[in-house]
Amino acid sequence: NEGSLQLAFSGETLVGLVAGVVEQQSAQNRVELGPCRAGRVLEVYVEPSARGRRVGEQLMARMEQLLIERGCDLLKVEVFALNGEAHRFYHRLGFQDWMVDLFKPIGEAGPKRTP
């Protein structure tokens, strides 16, 4: 996978980052989405002190442009269902919900979900 890490600084202080890759399309993905070249954002982080200053939006715009230059025509990001702030952020940037994984802890060793 082709990957990239984009950093944001305030002066000499690192205040944010975004990591992304160009994915290889699987056969199942071709059935679900049709032929495409997808980029995936793996991580976005903005220091709490820098939030509300559009750092995340600027990082995402840089990553999107880089992935377009690498031939991508689709951008994907994964968000935990309970992370409403991230969900709202990505919706503001034009992302749409596509697939939802549901889970159920089972057995004694199953993961425990806390409200």
Side-chain angles (χ1 to χ4, degrees):
N1 289 347
E2 301 172 46
S4 179
L5 178 66
Q6 301 291 308
L7 306 175
F9 290 89
S10 177
E12 294 185 14
T13 303
L14 178 65
V15 295
L17 64 86
V18 61
V21 296
V22 176
E23 291 188 327
Q24 300 301 316
Q25 191 173 31
S26 68
Q28 180 176 342
N29 189 263
R30 274 192 296 282
V31 170
E32 293 168 351
L33 297 173
C36 67
R37 183 163 165 93
R40 177 175 291 279
V41 171
L42 302 172
E43 187 68 48
V44 177
Y45 178 76
V46 176
E47 283 289 327
S49 63
R51 292 180 186 165
R53 299 191 316 209
R54 302 189 63 201
V55 173
E57 289 179 33
Q58 292 169 7
L59 284 166
M60 287 295 293
R62 287 187 356 217
M63 181 58 68
E64 184 174 332
Q65 185 57 45
L66 179 71
L67 292 168
I68 288 170
E69 290 169 7
R70 293 185 178 172
C72 292
D73 53 6
L74 180 71
L75 182 54
K76 300 189 286 186
V77 63
E78 185 174 286
V79 179
F80 286 111
L82 298 177
N83 190 342
E85 185 178 343
H87 223 116
R88 287 186 297 277
F89 170 74
Y90 292 118
H91 281 184
R92 280 195 315 269
L93 298 180
F95 285 83
Q96 300 172 17
D97 294 340
W98 179 259
M99 194 177 289
V100 176
D101 286 333
L102 301 173
F103 72 96
K104 174 183 174 182
I106 60 172
E108 292 297 317
K112 306 300 181 234
R113 179 178 175 261
T114 56

